[in-house]
Amino acid sequence: LSSDYSAWKKLQEIHGIENAKLVLKDLFAQDPQRFAKFSREYTSTDGPSMTFLLDFSKNLITEPILATLLDLVREVQVEDVRDKMFADEHIN
């Protein structure tokens, strides 16, 4: 269960403390670099030129929340499963 992971418990704790305080327009006002900080652009290196933009800036996310989400990704070994998937290994 997701509730068994320490990073998940930390996310729940952060949510309990910060949820009522997070207002998107205030987050943008407090940090003019918010878009740059919470977005990533990826351009394909092979095949047709294609750009993919991930923009988390318009979500109720802060640096501690993002760091904890990435901790959860590592804790549940998403990267390992991703690598197995791309190596055509059975993952389910």
Side-chain angles (χ1 to χ4, degrees):
L1 295 170
S2 59
S3 60
D4 293 338
Y5 295 104
S6 61
W8 180 261
K9 292 174 185 172
K10 186 173 178 182
L11 281 170
Q12 287 181 312
E13 180 182 318
I14 292 170
H15 180 268
I17 295 168
E18 294 191 14
N19 183 47
K21 301 176 195 174
L22 296 176
V23 177
L24 195 56
K25 70 177 185 170
D26 294 343
L27 293 172
F28 273 98
Q30 295 164 5
D31 186 359
Q33 297 300 313
R34 183 170 176 80
F35 175 77
K37 194 180 293 181
F38 292 109
S39 65
R40 298 291 181 271
E41 188 174 281
Y42 299 94
T43 302
S44 65
T45 56
D46 56 327
S49 180
M50 197 178 326
T51 301
F52 184 71
L53 174 68
L54 295 171
D55 178 10
F56 297 108
S57 68
K58 294 176 186 76
N59 289 275
L60 297 176
I61 192 168
T62 61
E63 290 180 86
I65 292 170
L66 181 58
T68 307
L69 283 168
L70 294 174
D71 288 343
L72 181 60
V73 165
R74 287 185 283 277
E75 192 173 354
V76 301
Q77 301 175 335
V78 169
E79 295 161 316
D80 294 340
V81 175
R82 175 208 57 204
D83 293 343
K84 288 178 181 179
M85 179 183 70
F86 284 116
D88 288 331
E89 293 182 32
H90 184 76
I91 56 174
N92 289 335

